[in-house]
Every structure is written in structure tokens, then in C-alpha cells.
Amino acid sequence: MTTSSTIPVIAIDGPTASGKGTVAQLVAAQLNFHYLDSGALYRLTALSAIRHGIALDDEQALAQLAENLDCSFTGGEIFLGTESVTLAIRAEEVGNTASKIAALPALRHALVGLQLRFRRLPGLIADGRDMGTVIFPDACLKVFLTASAEARAQRRYKQLIDKGFSANIEDLLKDLNERDARDANRAIAPLKPAEGAYFLDTSDLTVQQAVEKVLGWYATVKQAV
Ligand code: DC
């Protein structure tokens, strides 16, 4: 019998712009697994809050927004209602707002069910901050993916410029450090390596090398179960 706990999950957690999204999507494509970009859910809630003018400390209103998030992920695009917000949620303002509201327990709680529903056969690869520690503690493989702050600022810079946003490396580095501190020091579900996580520092790795590492670890843990 298939119960959700028998559906394999690979959890990839790490700081912002560490490359975990890129690696996770490529691993998902190789394994034909579903993919959960949990950060997108916090970004969608943030975008919606900004648009509705909701105060960033109004925990109940924000939790309600998250609970009723009308979002869908189709063909690589992310929708809020019928509007594609794939690009809009990548703006720095939205990422910073997401990091702020992600510290609110009621909001995190409101997003749990939505995240669990991504666990479908043949398997799921989920990336975020608390995938291995809180949302999928029974994941068969947990990876903590990092890169130096400088490497991450460079990557974020390139991502933003490629998407047509303007960006400045010094400002990005400052924002990254602030966001890391906020994500790692919050009281609830802080960014930290899960017990038993494999560490992957991608500062000096190509995307393909990082993907191969994860696939290699997955092949090992799969054999063991
Ligand atoms: O991964 P990202 O940059 O898209 O995430 C945006 C913010 O959302 C991040 O700064 C913190 C929050 N987040 C979180 O608290 N828990 C997650 N599992 C994913 C993201």
C-alpha cells in the first residue's frame, strides 16, 4: 500500500541564492520527481500582502492570506489566481518581505498543508529552509546546500540582471547577510542543517557537479532502504 510516508522525499535546505533551486529542479527532472519550491509560497504570500496593503506584523491577516493562497504551478510558471507572477515574486522587495513574514508562526502553520500535498508518487524534491527539519522530517535524503556569501551575491546579481531587474552587488551582499541572519535566528523553524544532513558547499562547483553529488547520495540511500 502507498501511504504518503512511503513516497520518497529529498529535502534540500540552505540560505538564499545558494543555488538550491537550480540543483533541486535538475535533480527532480533526472528522477522524474515532483518539485516543491517552498520559498515561492512565502514569496507569493508576501506579494499578495504587499498588494493588499497588509501590515507585515498583522499575523492573523497574513496567516489568512496564506491559508487561502490561490496559487498554482504549471509548466514552469507560477500563478496567483490567473495571473503569472513567476517574475514578480523574484523581486528583491518580495524576497525581503517573504523573509520577514516567514518568522510568523501562524503564517508558517497556514502553509504546512499546502506543502505536504506536493508529496506525490513517484517522489518529491523539496527546497527551502525547513524541509528536512520540520515539513518532511522523514525525508530519505537531506542536503544542506551552502555557498560563500560572495558567490551567492554574484549569483543573485546575475539572476536579477538576466530577469531584467537592476541590481548592485554591495546592496545584494548586505541584503543576503541580513536575510540569512533573520532566517537563521528566528524562533520558529530557523534555517539550520537537519540531523543527518549531507553538506554540499557549491561555491566552487558547477551546477552539474552539484547535481551529480545529490544524485549519487540518493542512489546510496535508496539502496539502503
Ligand atoms: O528560498 P527563497 O529565497 O525563495 O525564500 C524566500 C524567503 O522565504 C526566505 O528568505 C525565508 C522564507 N522561507 C522560509 O522561511 N522557509 C522555507 N521553507 C522557504 C522560504
Side-chain angles (χ1 to χ4, degrees):
M1 193 177 82
T2 305
T3 64
S4 86
S5 61
T6 59
I7 300 173
V9 176
I10 300 176
I12 303 194
D13 289 306
T16 194
S18 54
K20 58 190 187 320
T22 309
V23 172
Q25 284 178 72
L26 289 168
V27 173
Q30 286 273 334
L31 297 173
N32 213 12
F33 274 17
H34 298 281
Y35 168 58
L36 165 62
D37 171 3
S38 64
L41 303 180
Y42 291 89
R43 287 172 181 266
L44 284 162
T45 310
L47 179 66
S48 203
I50 293 168
R51 287 182 173 178
H52 286 92
I54 296 176
L56 301 187
D57 58 356
D58 189 343
E59 185 165 358
Q60 287 321 312
L62 291 165
Q64 213 163 46
L65 205 61
E67 185 83 52
N68 299 308
L69 208 56
D70 176 18
C71 65
S72 53
F73 294 72
T74 323
E77 293 266 316
I78 302 176
F79 291 87
L80 202 50
T82 55
E83 179 194 356
S84 171
V85 291
T86 318
L87 200 59
I89 60 164
R90 297 297 152 200
E92 279 300 283
E93 185 202 357
V94 177
N96 281 325
T97 304
S99 167
K100 285 179 191 149
I101 63 175
L104 302 169
L107 181 142
R108 299 196 73 84
H109 183 72
L111 289 175
V112 171
L114 182 54
Q115 294 175 84
L116 295 179
R117 286 199 289 281
F118 279 79
R119 188 174 195 168
R120 296 194 303 271
L121 282 170
L124 173 69
I125 176 147
D127 88 55
R129 305 293 185 289
D130 62 344
M131 297 297 97
T133 50
V134 176
I135 305 295
F136 302 109
D138 62 340
C140 59
L141 172 64
K142 299 176 183 181
V143 177
F144 194 75
L145 198 147
T146 56
S148 68
E150 287 70 24
R152 292 188 288 122
Q154 287 288 351
R155 285 178 195 165
R156 176 54 52 84
Y157 178 80
K158 193 173 171 313
Q159 273 172 4
L160 289 170
I161 297 293
D162 285 352
K163 290 192 165 87
F165 292 108
S166 63
N168 166 295
I169 287 272
E170 279 77 41
D171 289 348
L172 284 176
L173 196 55
K174 187 169 156 281
D175 274 2
L176 283 184
N177 286 327
E178 279 174 15
R179 201 186 306 181
D180 287 352
R182 205 164 38 229
D183 293 346
N185 294 318
R186 66 182 176 222
I188 179 167
L191 169 66
K192 63 171 185 198
E195 219 179 295
Y198 289 73
F199 282 75
L200 184 55
D201 184 329
T202 64
S203 309
D204 300 315
L205 295 184
T206 63
V207 171
Q208 204 44 45
Q209 285 170 326
V211 168
E212 273 158 24
K213 273 266 180 220
V214 177
L215 287 171
W217 286 330
Y218 181 62
T220 313
V221 297
K222 208 172 73 171
Q223 252 174 11
V225 288

